[in-house]
Amino acid sequence: MKQITNKIEGGVCAPKGFRACGVHCGIRKNKIKKDLALIVADKPCAVACVYTTNLVKGAPISVTQKHVADGIAQAVIVNSGNANTCNADGVEIAEGMCDLVERHTGIPAQNVVVASTGVIGQKLSLDPIASGMDELVKSLGNNSSAAAEAIMTTDTVKKEIAFEFSLGGKVCRIGAICKGVGMICPNMATMLMFITTDAAISSAMLQRAISADVKDSLNMLSVDRDTSTNDTLCIMASGLAGNREIVSANADYRIFKSALHAVTSALCRMLAADGEGATKLLECKVTGAKSKKDARLAAKSVIDSPLFKAAMFGKDANWGRVLCALGYSGANLAVEKIGVAFRSAAGETVVCERGSGVDFSEEQAKKVLSEKEIVIDVQLNDGEFEATAWGCDLTYDYVKINGDYRT
Amino acid sequence: MKQITNKIEGGVCAPKGFRACGVHCGIRKNKIKKDLALIVADKPCAVACVYTTNLVKGAPISVTQKHVADGIAQAVIVNSGNANTCNADGVEIAEGMCDLVERHTGIPAQNVVVASTGVIGQKLSLDPIASGMDELVKSLGNNSSAAAEAIMTTDTVKKEIAFEFSLGGKVCRIGAICKGVGMICPNMATMLMFITTDAAISSAMLQRAISADVKDSLNMLSVDRDTSTNDTLCIMASGLAGNREIVSANADYRIFKSALHAVTSALCRMLAADGEGATKLLECKVTGAKSKKDARLAAKSVIDSPLFKAAMFGKDANWGRVLCALGYSGANLAVEKIGVAFRSAAGETVVCERGSGVDFSEEQAKKVLSEKEIVIDVQLNDGEFEATAWGCDLTYDYVKINGDYRT
């Protein structure tokens, strides 16, 4: 879609009316690593969120839910290094973080979104956060990158993106930052992702747009099938682009949704490529499914299989594991119709047709699988629906990172 | 239960009326590794099987299903090194294996159970099997161990067990061999497990017994959440113990079920301990659940979490990952009531009470987690039901083994 192809700089600060920053306040011992981020809007925004479906929820989620119940928010405060989850005083601490924002910016605490990410079950002290607020607020500006850095945990690269699109002749912008990269199997939401836009859109339509979008973006991403306790996706719309406010599912809404999906799907690819320990981005494209649900189940199952993920790490065209994962995916499919090919910048290798193996060059397959981005092309040949899922390979480093995460 | 505590030697040959053996026939290039096993009964037996729920099923499964439809079987032939799955001529080859048994033993092919395990999607030739049959049949005898060896794939230890129990004053025996140890997340069945008994029991009651038993044994086992294409559990009863045939769910049936569970749960522990790359057996005991289903979901979710499995490899008491896995398990539970402790031969460390962390000695926890068998004790404090699940840690070796399995 023409309107959304303009990739621009600036992350969450690209849309009009948003400032951001990130600092090291001392939650982490490592002073080089920023651990506190703030995003502030010039005026109250329409807001919508989706959260983890995990029954064990981080305390910040319950505070955020209360604060966004009226569809309005003006700031986001986020710390890394501690998830503030399974702590008896968690809600108190999360509310304390919002109070600190009010004290330092004048934005009412009930308009503040709060999120935390890091170790579960370790007490989070307000002290470092309180002592970092002055510097944090002073640094507010066109600093999306600093905010993106401050929310990183085991991420090796910061993740931000922005696009321009047009609504009724008005140029609108949408930008985002997010973090992964372990405990990633979002279910109705994901890790932490914060999106801003200057498009005018009601909070009800904003909610509708992200609730629909996650089904084909964040819910199709998995690093390790571990659905986190703190997954939060939050989008704020300032309306400063000057477009006619979107209040129904009209043509402008569809354009907005395309722009939103451009942001979320690009971030899914970044999150998968930076999955804990990952050396490869895996993209499973399923076509020819009987229904959208079958397509999604099939694609997600392939990128979730630890056996297949380990084979990809080893550049081993062990396509039997793709068939196996399709077979237990729960998708309605006809095994005898399935075709599978591996594709990358180095070419394509067809490995399975009509549910059975075909002769292929192991040497050529190895070349295809030696690239950093691998597409697993699954043709179910049984209908008209398709879906894409993103994941990564399973490596020694995943085990290393998670064998001793707390120390 | 007193009747079943007598552990005995002999594996599948412990019950009266069974002989077994295993040889190297040439499916595998490595001549030291046996790759073909045979179990033969002196007379036709009552038989019952459960199979994988994977839609992609090994060809041997469809042949076995046909052969046991009448509730009668007299022999089992199994090869390792090739799963005979996703091969266009797979059924023909599996039938050919049964025909070879008929030709060499006189047992009708339609009374033969056939199973294969190994790589998926590579053609299996009958030639090495045909050439190995003479030696195989000649070696038939009290050779359960050789059969257990011949069905191993990435298993590092052979798995066999046998117990004595008593029915109406008659001593009965039940024995088994099985193999794992990757692509292990049985769903209504598991990898390959062959059980023999000399108890007299109808095939209908035999089916009822194993279908019920797997819910608390094989279905509570997971190495990597990958449900295999070839999972087969087969039990044959010769009736030679002389007990009154079990044809209803009477007291004898309940004793038989206890003996059966002694076999299957012991093998589950062996399979988990030998999971691909495993250094530790993990046993998650969930108590105080609202229902049996909730207990099973909760226990299975913990031993399935790759993050938690990696933490156990690192001897890291990262109990937040236990809470996280409980939270997304799908079990109905009250987070604020949950207690968690780690237990082993080195003692016990309580890490969580009422859903929140408690102070504990990291040093003591490290000692507890340095043992080879770790119990994760989860008290839901919300009901009367309990369940146990078995798994293993996630290690560098799992990645190594599966990064290059085919070559």
Side-chain angles (χ1 to χ4, degrees), chain B residues 193-214:
Chain B
M193 185 179 288
F194 305 101
I195 310 177
T196 57
T197 180
D198 48 20
I201 177 169
S202 68
S203 60
M205 294 311 292
L206 209 51
Q207 187 68 57
R208 180 165 163 177
I210 58 166
S211 294
D213 184 74
V214 291

PDB file of all heavy atoms in Angstrom, chain B residues 193-214:
ATOM      1  N   MET B 193       7.170 -48.237  23.011  1.00  0.00           N
ATOM      2  CA  MET B 193       7.207 -48.996  24.263  1.00  0.00           C
ATOM      3  C   MET B 193       6.450 -50.302  24.040  1.00  0.00           C
ATOM      4  O   MET B 193       5.331 -50.290  23.531  1.00  0.00           O
ATOM      5  CB  MET B 193       6.564 -48.192  25.398  1.00  0.00           C
ATOM      6  CG  MET B 193       6.672 -48.885  26.760  1.00  0.00           C
ATOM      7  SD  MET B 193       5.929 -47.919  28.118  1.00  0.00           S
ATOM      8  CE  MET B 193       7.090 -46.582  28.322  1.00  0.00           C
ATOM      9  N   PHE B 194       7.098 -51.396  24.386  1.00  0.00           N
ATOM     10  CA  PHE B 194       6.480 -52.704  24.208  1.00  0.00           C
ATOM     11  C   PHE B 194       6.407 -53.392  25.548  1.00  0.00           C
ATOM     12  O   PHE B 194       7.424 -53.559  26.225  1.00  0.00           O
ATOM     13  CB  PHE B 194       7.270 -53.532  23.196  1.00  0.00           C
ATOM     14  CG  PHE B 194       7.435 -52.813  21.898  1.00  0.00           C
ATOM     15  CD1 PHE B 194       8.619 -52.168  21.581  1.00  0.00           C
ATOM     16  CD2 PHE B 194       6.367 -52.722  21.010  1.00  0.00           C
ATOM     17  CE1 PHE B 194       8.761 -51.464  20.399  1.00  0.00           C
ATOM     18  CE2 PHE B 194       6.496 -52.001  19.824  1.00  0.00           C
ATOM     19  CZ  PHE B 194       7.694 -51.374  19.522  1.00  0.00           C
ATOM     20  N   ILE B 195       5.204 -53.750  25.947  1.00  0.00           N
ATOM     21  CA  ILE B 195       4.985 -54.378  27.248  1.00  0.00           C
ATOM     22  C   ILE B 195       4.451 -55.787  27.022  1.00  0.00           C
ATOM     23  O   ILE B 195       3.628 -56.012  26.137  1.00  0.00           O
ATOM     24  CB  ILE B 195       3.965 -53.569  28.086  1.00  0.00           C
ATOM     25  CG1 ILE B 195       4.364 -52.078  28.120  1.00  0.00           C
ATOM     26  CG2 ILE B 195       3.833 -54.128  29.491  1.00  0.00           C
ATOM     27  CD1 ILE B 195       3.384 -51.193  28.872  1.00  0.00           C
ATOM     28  N   THR B 196       4.950 -56.720  27.816  1.00  0.00           N
ATOM     29  CA  THR B 196       4.408 -58.082  27.769  1.00  0.00           C
ATOM     30  C   THR B 196       3.917 -58.432  29.158  1.00  0.00           C
ATOM     31  O   THR B 196       4.392 -57.898  30.159  1.00  0.00           O
ATOM     32  CB  THR B 196       5.495 -59.101  27.378  1.00  0.00           C
ATOM     33  OG1 THR B 196       6.577 -59.000  28.326  1.00  0.00           O
ATOM     34  CG2 THR B 196       6.017 -58.847  25.976  1.00  0.00           C
ATOM     35  N   THR B 197       2.942 -59.316  29.222  1.00  0.00           N
ATOM     36  CA  THR B 197       2.508 -59.841  30.522  1.00  0.00           C
ATOM     37  C   THR B 197       2.002 -61.254  30.298  1.00  0.00           C
ATOM     38  O   THR B 197       1.544 -61.581  29.194  1.00  0.00           O
ATOM     39  CB  THR B 197       1.419 -58.963  31.171  1.00  0.00           C
ATOM     40  OG1 THR B 197       1.047 -59.550  32.433  1.00  0.00           O
ATOM     41  CG2 THR B 197       0.181 -58.869  30.296  1.00  0.00           C
ATOM     42  N   ASP B 198       2.097 -62.066  31.341  1.00  0.00           N
ATOM     43  CA  ASP B 198       1.518 -63.403  31.215  1.00  0.00           C
ATOM     44  C   ASP B 198       0.177 -63.486  31.923  1.00  0.00           C
ATOM     45  O   ASP B 198      -0.433 -64.549  32.008  1.00  0.00           O
ATOM     46  CB  ASP B 198       2.489 -64.487  31.704  1.00  0.00           C
ATOM     47  CG  ASP B 198       3.090 -64.166  33.060  1.00  0.00           C
ATOM     48  OD1 ASP B 198       2.506 -63.333  33.789  1.00  0.00           O
ATOM     49  OD2 ASP B 198       4.152 -64.736  33.386  1.00  0.00           O
ATOM     50  N   ALA B 199      -0.285 -62.332  32.439  1.00  0.00           N
ATOM     51  CA  ALA B 199      -1.622 -62.322  33.025  1.00  0.00           C
ATOM     52  C   ALA B 199      -2.650 -62.594  31.937  1.00  0.00           C
ATOM     53  O   ALA B 199      -2.460 -62.209  30.793  1.00  0.00           O
ATOM     54  CB  ALA B 199      -1.898 -60.964  33.666  1.00  0.00           C
ATOM     55  N   ALA B 200      -3.721 -63.256  32.322  1.00  0.00           N
ATOM     56  CA  ALA B 200      -4.812 -63.474  31.375  1.00  0.00           C
ATOM     57  C   ALA B 200      -5.749 -62.272  31.464  1.00  0.00           C
ATOM     58  O   ALA B 200      -6.254 -61.947  32.541  1.00  0.00           O
ATOM     59  CB  ALA B 200      -5.558 -64.761  31.715  1.00  0.00           C
ATOM     60  N   ILE B 201      -5.935 -61.613  30.371  1.00  0.00           N
ATOM     61  CA  ILE B 201      -6.791 -60.425  30.349  1.00  0.00           C
ATOM     62  C   ILE B 201      -7.274 -60.240  28.923  1.00  0.00           C
ATOM     63  O   ILE B 201      -6.528 -60.465  27.968  1.00  0.00           O
ATOM     64  CB  ILE B 201      -6.029 -59.178  30.876  1.00  0.00           C
ATOM     65  CG1 ILE B 201      -6.903 -57.909  30.791  1.00  0.00           C
ATOM     66  CG2 ILE B 201      -4.696 -58.985  30.182  1.00  0.00           C
ATOM     67  CD1 ILE B 201      -6.330 -56.702  31.532  1.00  0.00           C
ATOM     68  N   SER B 202      -8.523 -59.895  28.765  1.00  0.00           N
ATOM     69  CA  SER B 202      -9.079 -59.747  27.421  1.00  0.00           C
ATOM     70  C   SER B 202      -8.472 -58.539  26.744  1.00  0.00           C
ATOM     71  O   SER B 202      -7.994 -57.606  27.405  1.00  0.00           O
ATOM     72  CB  SER B 202     -10.600 -59.581  27.495  1.00  0.00           C
ATOM     73  OG  SER B 202     -10.916 -58.338  28.087  1.00  0.00           O
ATOM     74  N   SER B 203      -8.501 -58.527  25.421  1.00  0.00           N
ATOM     75  CA  SER B 203      -7.910 -57.400  24.707  1.00  0.00           C
ATOM     76  C   SER B 203      -8.695 -56.124  24.996  1.00  0.00           C
ATOM     77  O   SER B 203      -8.125 -55.034  25.051  1.00  0.00           O
ATOM     78  CB  SER B 203      -7.821 -57.673  23.204  1.00  0.00           C
ATOM     79  OG  SER B 203      -9.097 -57.905  22.675  1.00  0.00           O
ATOM     80  N   ALA B 204      -9.994 -56.229  25.216  1.00  0.00           N
ATOM     81  CA  ALA B 204     -10.797 -55.040  25.521  1.00  0.00           C
ATOM     82  C   ALA B 204     -10.355 -54.416  26.841  1.00  0.00           C
ATOM     83  O   ALA B 204     -10.186 -53.194  26.937  1.00  0.00           O
ATOM     84  CB  ALA B 204     -12.285 -55.403  25.586  1.00  0.00           C
ATOM     85  N   MET B 205     -10.129 -55.260  27.860  1.00  0.00           N
ATOM     86  CA  MET B 205      -9.708 -54.730  29.160  1.00  0.00           C
ATOM     87  C   MET B 205      -8.262 -54.243  29.105  1.00  0.00           C
ATOM     88  O   MET B 205      -7.875 -53.307  29.803  1.00  0.00           O
ATOM     89  CB  MET B 205      -9.888 -55.782  30.261  1.00  0.00           C
ATOM     90  CG  MET B 205     -11.336 -56.146  30.538  1.00  0.00           C
ATOM     91  SD  MET B 205     -12.418 -54.697  30.771  1.00  0.00           S
ATOM     92  CE  MET B 205     -11.797 -54.050  32.317  1.00  0.00           C
ATOM     93  N   LEU B 206      -7.476 -54.878  28.263  1.00  0.00           N
ATOM     94  CA  LEU B 206      -6.094 -54.456  28.076  1.00  0.00           C
ATOM     95  C   LEU B 206      -6.074 -53.051  27.468  1.00  0.00           C
ATOM     96  O   LEU B 206      -5.324 -52.164  27.901  1.00  0.00           O
ATOM     97  CB  LEU B 206      -5.421 -55.460  27.130  1.00  0.00           C
ATOM     98  CG  LEU B 206      -3.925 -55.722  27.251  1.00  0.00           C
ATOM     99  CD1 LEU B 206      -3.515 -56.041  28.668  1.00  0.00           C
ATOM    100  CD2 LEU B 206      -3.542 -56.885  26.313  1.00  0.00           C
ATOM    101  N   GLN B 207      -6.934 -52.862  26.471  1.00  0.00           N
ATOM    102  CA  GLN B 207      -7.021 -51.542  25.836  1.00  0.00           C
ATOM    103  C   GLN B 207      -7.487 -50.499  26.857  1.00  0.00           C
ATOM    104  O   GLN B 207      -6.932 -49.403  26.925  1.00  0.00           O
ATOM    105  CB  GLN B 207      -8.007 -51.591  24.658  1.00  0.00           C
ATOM    106  CG  GLN B 207      -8.054 -50.319  23.830  1.00  0.00           C
ATOM    107  CD  GLN B 207      -6.760 -50.083  23.058  1.00  0.00           C
ATOM    108  OE1 GLN B 207      -6.330 -50.918  22.276  1.00  0.00           O
ATOM    109  NE2 GLN B 207      -6.118 -48.938  23.292  1.00  0.00           N
ATOM    110  N   ARG B 208      -8.483 -50.856  27.629  1.00  0.00           N
ATOM    111  CA  ARG B 208      -8.995 -49.919  28.622  1.00  0.00           C
ATOM    112  C   ARG B 208      -7.911 -49.545  29.629  1.00  0.00           C
ATOM    113  O   ARG B 208      -7.769 -48.387  29.997  1.00  0.00           O
ATOM    114  CB  ARG B 208     -10.190 -50.579  29.341  1.00  0.00           C
ATOM    115  CG  ARG B 208     -10.814 -49.713  30.390  1.00  0.00           C
ATOM    116  CD  ARG B 208     -12.174 -50.262  30.788  1.00  0.00           C
ATOM    117  NE  ARG B 208     -12.596 -49.686  32.064  1.00  0.00           N
ATOM    118  CZ  ARG B 208     -13.758 -49.933  32.640  1.00  0.00           C
ATOM    119  NH1 ARG B 208     -14.627 -50.754  32.042  1.00  0.00           N
ATOM    120  NH2 ARG B 208     -14.070 -49.379  33.789  1.00  0.00           N
ATOM    121  N   ALA B 209      -7.138 -50.545  30.030  1.00  0.00           N
ATOM    122  CA  ALA B 209      -6.089 -50.306  31.032  1.00  0.00           C
ATOM    123  C   ALA B 209      -5.007 -49.378  30.491  1.00  0.00           C
ATOM    124  O   ALA B 209      -4.614 -48.411  31.166  1.00  0.00           O
ATOM    125  CB  ALA B 209      -5.471 -51.636  31.472  1.00  0.00           C
ATOM    126  N   ILE B 210      -4.516 -49.616  29.277  1.00  0.00           N
ATOM    127  CA  ILE B 210      -3.421 -48.740  28.815  1.00  0.00           C
ATOM    128  C   ILE B 210      -3.938 -47.375  28.403  1.00  0.00           C
ATOM    129  O   ILE B 210      -3.257 -46.375  28.610  1.00  0.00           O
ATOM    130  CB  ILE B 210      -2.529 -49.338  27.696  1.00  0.00           C
ATOM    131  CG1 ILE B 210      -3.315 -49.706  26.465  1.00  0.00           C
ATOM    132  CG2 ILE B 210      -1.725 -50.506  28.193  1.00  0.00           C
ATOM    133  CD1 ILE B 210      -2.373 -49.969  25.284  1.00  0.00           C
ATOM    134  N   SER B 211      -5.147 -47.316  27.860  1.00  0.00           N
ATOM    135  CA  SER B 211      -5.681 -46.003  27.487  1.00  0.00           C
ATOM    136  C   SER B 211      -5.847 -45.129  28.720  1.00  0.00           C
ATOM    137  O   SER B 211      -5.632 -43.918  28.675  1.00  0.00           O
ATOM    138  CB  SER B 211      -7.013 -46.147  26.749  1.00  0.00           C
ATOM    139  OG  SER B 211      -6.795 -46.785  25.504  1.00  0.00           O
ATOM    140  N   ALA B 212      -6.228 -45.738  29.845  1.00  0.00           N
ATOM    141  CA  ALA B 212      -6.348 -44.972  31.092  1.00  0.00           C
ATOM    142  C   ALA B 212      -4.976 -44.652  31.655  1.00  0.00           C
ATOM    143  O   ALA B 212      -4.717 -43.539  32.111  1.00  0.00           O
ATOM    144  CB  ALA B 212      -7.164 -45.768  32.114  1.00  0.00           C
ATOM    145  N   ASP B 213      -4.089 -45.617  31.599  1.00  0.00           N
ATOM    146  CA  ASP B 213      -2.779 -45.429  32.240  1.00  0.00           C
ATOM    147  C   ASP B 213      -1.960 -44.308  31.608  1.00  0.00           C
ATOM    148  O   ASP B 213      -1.300 -43.548  32.327  1.00  0.00           O
ATOM    149  CB  ASP B 213      -1.968 -46.734  32.188  1.00  0.00           C
ATOM    150  CG  ASP B 213      -0.649 -46.582  32.924  1.00  0.00           C
ATOM    151  OD1 ASP B 213      -0.678 -46.562  34.162  1.00  0.00           O
ATOM    152  OD2 ASP B 213       0.390 -46.419  32.261  1.00  0.00           O
ATOM    153  N   VAL B 214      -1.981 -44.194  30.289  1.00  0.00           N
ATOM    154  CA  VAL B 214      -1.108 -43.204  29.634  1.00  0.00           C
ATOM    155  C   VAL B 214      -1.396 -41.776  30.097  1.00  0.00           C
ATOM    156  O   VAL B 214      -0.520 -40.919  30.071  1.00  0.00           O
ATOM    157  CB  VAL B 214      -1.161 -43.267  28.081  1.00  0.00           C
ATOM    158  CG1 VAL B 214      -0.530 -44.532  27.593  1.00  0.00           C
ATOM    159  CG2 VAL B 214      -2.570 -43.089  27.569  1.00  0.00           C
TER     160      VAL B 214
END
